[in-house]
Amino acid sequence: MPHSVSPETDSHNNATEETMTDAPAQNGDNQDTDKDITMAETSAVPAATSEEDKKEVKLEELFADVDSDDEFPSSRQEGAKFSSSPAMPASPMGGVASLKASDPEVLRIFYQRFFPWRYLFQWLNHSPTPTNDFEHREFAFTLENDSYLRYQSYRTSDMLRKDVIRLLPTRFEIGPVYTTNPRDRKTLRNLSSFKPLSKELCFDIDLTDYDGIRTCCDKANICNRCWMFITMAIKVVDVALREDFGFKHIIWVYSGRRGAHAWVCDKKARAMDDQKRRAIAGYLEILRGGTQSGKRVNLRRPLHPHISRSLDILAPHFQADVLETQDPWSASDRAEHLLSLLPDKALNDSLRKKWDSSPGRASTSKWADIDALAKSGASKNLDTKALLEAKQDVVLEYTYPRLDIEVSKKLNHLLKSPFVVHPGTGRVCVPIDTRRLEEFDPLGVPTVQGLLEEIDSKAAGEGEEKGKNLQDWERTSLKPYVEYFRSFVLALMKDERDPKVKRERDESDAMEF
């Protein structure tokens, strides 16, 4: 690490045999939570081609039927009253809001009417027509009884949709593309030939990793004040992935409770082996040790350009979102931790004496006291350069992204799909528009119960929308999130059809034996 001192249709009847026995390398998310450079296995799964594929297709036409989706049309019958009520079970509270997000009937309605199956398929398939990128992709389901069903695969989005509606998982996860159909792995003569070929490079940020520095919430609880730590992290990681590694197709997705996931979808990212993934994860990781390990940032000077750029991004957040909003050193024990990060004992003694005489002194004032006492001559042997560097390290410790690195290191790691419902909060795992990152409100995203209520209210007065062949999600607050995802998928497929990208795919295919 350049900037760190520390070294450091298939038969569904076989479904039950996959339950529990093939427990995954988990993605770090519990059920009630959100949650280097060689070319050994960089070949992509070959795309299925046909005469129709070879024709010139305008990208705008790929979604030309978005307003009359015959693949997954609205569940409303022609002329029928538009309401989710008939499908809803009786509730003792008499309303949708009282139902649990994990209720099977709630999930059934959501998967039937709101989930954007077409765009999920095109996102993972990289083409409007089926390829091995989708057919050999692993899906894993968490079922209502907490069993875990791995190595599921599907030829089309409709097959995936039907199986999800049949199983009603509380969530499902996306894994890699394998050398063959994952369902057929046990029929292979040589099991070692079944191996992962490609998957998006993923990153996971969870607010529980900030419990040592956030003061407003802890554990599974979040608010808009501590969500700013996720905002800071997205800014730093996103710009590094784009400017330092040249990735273009990156989508961030809210985890449904207290975190965010990044999916880097570029062809070159999907083809990376574990060594490359570990290298990029290591490049982005600068915090070492746990919350009780003392100083967690030890950087070489001069700072790596990535770190200097990160400091520029994070400095305003440190003042506003850490010092003023979180007030991290108001308690004496937390203030003592700040002193442990400073290099001069005499200065620390003077600061401790000043703070002890002024209980409850705000963190903004304590941070200003460091420079004030340093200039006053509190320490005769003060190394001002060392103090400046120590303060930079403090800023990074309290603002720099805290990534769950294990999610990023392995090609075969699974991660929760976008647009699933978090079973604990009911919130939909929607994509985050990074163009309006500061406006994203994790507590204001659509919930599955809210979507059902919206459909009912629309049914009561369809008015100007009457007669339009709209899909159900288009009538709800889920619409802007699906449209953002749709535009992302369109741009990704456009690049995949670029001759340069297609040539990279062909060259990779030629390397396979």
Side-chain angles (χ1 to χ4, degrees):
M1 190 171 141
H3 42 254
S4 175
V5 171
S6 305
E8 301 234 29
T9 31
D10 271 324
S11 171
H12 295 305
N13 295 331
N14 295 330
T16 54
E17 71 174 347
E18 307 298 339
T19 307
M20 297 300 290
T21 57
D22 291 312
Q26 287 285 5
N27 64 3
D29 286 348
N30 294 328
Q31 176 59 33
D32 62 340
T33 67
D34 300 336
K35 356 199 184 108
D36 311 351
I37 317 294
T38 62
M39 296 296 290
E41 292 182 9
T42 57
S43 56
V45 180
T49 59
S50 66
E51 290 303 316
E52 183 178 348
D53 284 341
K54 294 177 182 177
K55 296 178 181 178
E56 185 64 28
V57 179
K58 294 182 180 180
L59 262 294
E60 293 78 3
E61 295 174 359
L62 296 179
F63 294 94
D65 58 348
V66 68
D67 290 327
S68 56
D69 194 340
D70 293 329
E71 182 180 3
F72 305 125
S74 170
S75 58
R76 179 181 57 152
Q77 297 179 357
E78 195 67 32
K81 186 172 177 63
F82 197 86
S83 174
S84 61
S85 299
M88 297 303 298
S91 169
M93 296 294 291
V96 172
S98 64
L99 294 171
K100 291 184 178 179
S102 57
D103 184 289
E105 283 306 311
V106 172
L107 289 174
R108 187 187 310 279
I109 295 171
F110 177 78
Y111 287 133
Q112 284 179 331
R113 302 177 65 171
F114 299 108
F115 195 94
W117 296 106
R118 163 174 292 185
Y119 306 136
L120 184 83
F121 166 79
Q122 292 175 335
W123 171 48
L124 298 175
N125 186 64
H126 315 112
S127 170
T129 55
T131 71
N132 285 349
D133 282 4
F134 190 82
E135 292 185 50
H136 291 181
R137 172 83 68 162
E138 177 189 0
F139 293 88
F141 301 131
T142 301
L143 304 181
E144 190 178 14
N145 60 1
D146 286 338
S147 58
Y148 196 76
L149 191 62
R150 280 199 67 180
Y151 299 114
Q152 305 304 295
S153 57
Y154 306 90
R155 186 174 184 275
T156 67
S157 58
D158 193 37
M159 294 172 65
L160 170 62
R161 174 181 180 267
K162 289 176 179 177
D163 213 24
V164 169
I165 292 172
R166 178 181 69 88
L167 294 169
L168 297 179
T170 53
R171 78 178 191 186
F172 65 88
E173 296 170 333
I174 298 171
V177 178
Y178 283 91
T179 49
T180 191
N181 189 318
R183 287 183 183 269
D184 297 337
R185 72 194 187 288
K186 291 184 178 180
T187 66
L188 299 175
R189 291 184 178 181
N190 183 5
L191 288 178
S192 64
S193 64
F194 179 73
K195 59 184 180 180
L197 286 178
S198 65
K199 188 176 101 27
E200 295 76 12
L201 174 64
C202 296
F203 297 90
D204 181 14
I205 310 167
D206 194 308
L207 274 174
T208 52
D209 292 325
Y210 292 81
D211 280 356
I213 58 177
R214 61 174 178 156
T215 59
C216 52
C217 306
D218 64 356
K219 299 180 181 177
N221 303 305
I222 71 164
C223 67
N224 286 307
R225 290 180 293 173
C226 56
W227 181 258
M228 291 306 299
F229 287 112
I230 302 294
T231 299
M232 299 178 216
I234 291 176
K235 286 183 177 181
V236 168
V237 174
D238 194 80
V239 72
L241 292 172
R242 295 180 190 278
E243 295 187 6
D244 299 348
F245 295 97
F247 296 129
K248 177 180 178 182
H249 301 286
I250 305 168
I251 191 164
W252 290 86
V253 180
Y254 176 44
S255 66
R257 174 168 276 171
R258 59 172 186 257
H261 302 151
W263 297 76
V264 185
C265 306
D266 299 60
K267 167 66 180 173
K268 62 181 180 180
R270 303 196 310 266
M272 290 192 304
D273 59 15
D274 288 351
Q275 186 181 3
K276 292 185 179 69
R277 293 168 193 262
R278 285 195 300 270
I280 292 179
Y283 177 90
L284 294 171
E285 184 182 29
I286 68 169
L287 274 72
R288 303 291 184 177
T291 56
Q292 306 300 321
S293 60
K295 190 170 173 25
R296 301 187 61 189
V297 177
N298 293 280
L299 298 173
R300 294 191 184 105
R301 262 61 179 192
L303 291 175
H304 187 277
H306 161 61
I307 303 300
S308 296
R309 180 186 59 218
S310 298
L311 274 170
D312 291 340
I313 294 171
L314 296 169
H317 287 287
F318 178 74
Q319 181 66 36
D321 300 312
V322 176
L323 295 184
E324 296 175 12
T325 301
Q326 293 294 329
D327 195 9
W329 306 310
S330 59
S332 58
D333 58 330
R334 294 198 175 210
E336 196 61 37
H337 175 67
L338 171 60
L339 294 176
S340 72
L341 303 178
L342 302 179
D344 190 278
K345 185 178 183 302
L347 176 62
N348 290 355
D349 290 341
S350 297
L351 288 169
R352 187 179 293 108
K353 181 178 179 181
K354 182 177 182 66
W355 297 345
D356 287 345
S357 67
S358 180
R361 189 171 179 79
S363 296
T364 50
S365 299
K366 289 179 176 179
W367 184 249
D369 290 341
I370 297 173
D371 284 344
L373 288 181
K375 292 176 181 178
S376 71
S379 174
K380 295 181 180 179
N381 299 315
L382 179 65
D383 184 338
T384 55
K385 183 172 180 289
L387 179 61
L388 173 62
E389 293 175 355
K391 291 183 66 181
Q392 290 175 335
D393 290 350
V394 170
V395 172
L396 292 169
E397 179 167 329
Y398 280 79
T399 58
Y400 192 83
R402 300 184 174 205
L403 302 172
D404 182 352
I405 293 298
E406 297 306 313
V407 171
S408 309
K409 287 181 177 180
K410 293 286 187 179
L411 178 61
N412 64 352
H413 210 291
L414 292 95
L415 193 63
K416 182 165 53 180
S417 170
F419 290 103
V420 299
V421 174
H422 190 285
T425 64
R427 298 179 198 134
V428 181
C429 299
V430 295
I432 300 170
D433 187 346
T434 51
R435 298 168 302 182
R436 291 181 280 274
L437 183 58
E438 306 264 359
E439 300 173 18
F440 182 79
D441 178 6
L443 304 180
V445 304
T447 64
V448 63
Q449 298 95 331
L451 292 173
L452 297 180
E453 289 181 331
E454 288 180 52
I455 284 293
D456 282 339
S457 65
K458 291 285 185 182
E462 284 187 279
E464 61 185 28
E465 290 186 350
K466 190 173 182 179
K468 289 185 180 180
N469 188 17
L470 298 177
Q471 295 187 76
D472 290 354
W473 58 261
E474 293 181 278
R475 303 172 181 267
T476 69
S477 56
L478 197 59
K479 179 180 179 179
Y481 301 101
V482 176
E483 289 182 337
Y484 176 74
F485 186 60
R486 171 188 176 276
S487 65
F488 175 82
V489 173
L490 178 62
L492 176 63
M493 288 201 300
K494 181 177 180 180
D495 271 12
E496 290 285 327
R497 293 178 66 86
D498 183 272
K500 180 179 178 181
V501 176
K502 290 177 72 69
R503 184 167 60 252
E504 289 175 359
R505 179 188 291 268
D506 294 339
E507 290 172 355
S508 296
D509 292 345
M511 295 174 64
E512 296 220 313
F513 297 91

